[in-house]
Amino acid sequence: VSGKLFRDLTPADIKLTMDVNVLAVFWVTQTFLEDMRELGYGHVTTISSVAGLFGSIKLVDYSCSKFAVMGLVEALRFEIMAENLPIEFTMVNPYFIKTGMFEGVVSKWPYFMPMLETGWVGDKIIEAVEQNRVIVVMPRIFYYLMLTKAFCPDRLSYHINKFSGTFDVMQYFTGRPDSKEADSKKEKSTDCDSALIP
């Protein structure tokens, strides 16, 4: 997660985000899906983010990658359904999880939009897979925000999201402390042509 404004993103920032969040999902899913075809069953669980449902400030590259994953899984699920294969899909869209990756992020309404505990998220994912749920959003308030996005005029939806504080969450973002050195090395690198391959 770069936490940068769009105008400050470098080609290396964008490529790294897409390699990790999109291309890696392609390669891993392709690899294991073939095994599921041979077995005749399976369940693909993909971790996206609420940033794949709503765009936000200083998350342009991250949101772009997560929107891409949402499209990838939806289209692939329809392909598998058309083939009548008994393979299930679950797309998980959590809010910020306390892993350190989003260190410094502050929720305006922590009661409704809390930073999520890893154990709780893990339990919800297992529960969703057992129930063959197609999409999971956490916390639940984001289901209602999805409705405002779908049915409200764009300008009203913008103001609702602004009031919710989702546009300000990255204001004090610092990220993992150990990511500073990695960012420094990345900026010094001039090689933007390498690609993540299986």
Side-chain angles (χ1 to χ4, degrees):
V1 181
S2 66
K4 297 178 181 178
L5 292 170
F6 178 75
R7 64 172 178 263
D8 296 326
L9 290 168
T10 66
D13 290 329
I14 297 167
K15 189 171 189 308
L16 178 62
T17 299
M18 300 307 286
D19 278 350
V20 173
N21 290 355
V22 184
L23 294 181
V25 176
F26 261 102
W27 309 143
V28 171
T29 305
Q30 274 190 331
T31 299
F32 285 96
L33 194 59
E34 289 310 305
D35 291 336
M36 293 179 191
R37 287 176 184 274
E38 292 179 12
L39 289 170
Y41 67 93
H43 198 122
V44 178
T45 304
T46 309
I47 309 299
S48 182
S49 168
V50 294
L53 304 170
F54 308 94
S56 192
I57 295 168
K58 289 190 174 181
L59 284 172
V60 173
D61 55 334
Y62 187 76
S63 284
C64 176
S65 70
K66 294 303 185 177
F67 269 88
V69 170
M70 289 290 291
L72 185 165
V73 174
E74 181 174 292
L76 177 58
R77 183 168 60 87
F78 290 152
E79 282 190 8
I80 297 301
M81 290 174 69
E83 295 180 46
N84 291 316
L85 292 173
I87 297 174
E88 304 293 338
F89 288 81
T90 296
M91 171 63 73
V92 182
N93 300 274
Y95 190 53
F96 300 112
I97 305 174
K98 292 181 180 178
T99 62
M101 187 169 75
F102 284 99
E103 193 68 32
V105 165
V106 178
S107 175
K108 181 179 179 181
W109 308 103
Y111 181 79
F112 298 105
M113 300 178 183
M115 297 289 286
L116 305 177
E117 298 289 345
T118 54
W120 183 82
V121 172
D123 290 342
K124 289 297 181 182
I125 292 173
I126 292 170
E127 180 182 301
V129 169
E130 290 175 342
Q131 296 173 358
N132 286 333
R133 292 175 62 187
V134 173
I135 187 168
V136 182
V137 182
M138 18 178 158
R140 297 187 66 84
I141 191 171
F142 284 99
Y143 285 112
Y144 300 106
L145 290 177
M146 288 169 65
L147 288 175
T148 67
K149 181 177 179 179
F151 295 106
C152 293
D154 184 64
R155 181 59 61 176
L156 177 58
S157 180
Y158 166 84
H159 285 292
I160 290 172
N161 278 280
K162 186 175 181 180
F163 175 76
S164 73
T166 56
F167 292 160
D168 300 320
V169 292
M170 297 294 286
Q171 185 175 356
Y172 302 108
F173 168 80
T174 58
R176 287 194 182 98
D178 59 354
S179 68
K180 306 292 184 186
E181 183 180 347
D183 286 343
S184 177
K185 290 179 180 177
K186 181 178 65 176
E187 287 173 6
K188 291 177 183 177
S189 173
T190 57
D191 179 16
C192 293
D193 297 322
S194 60
L196 182 64
I197 58 175

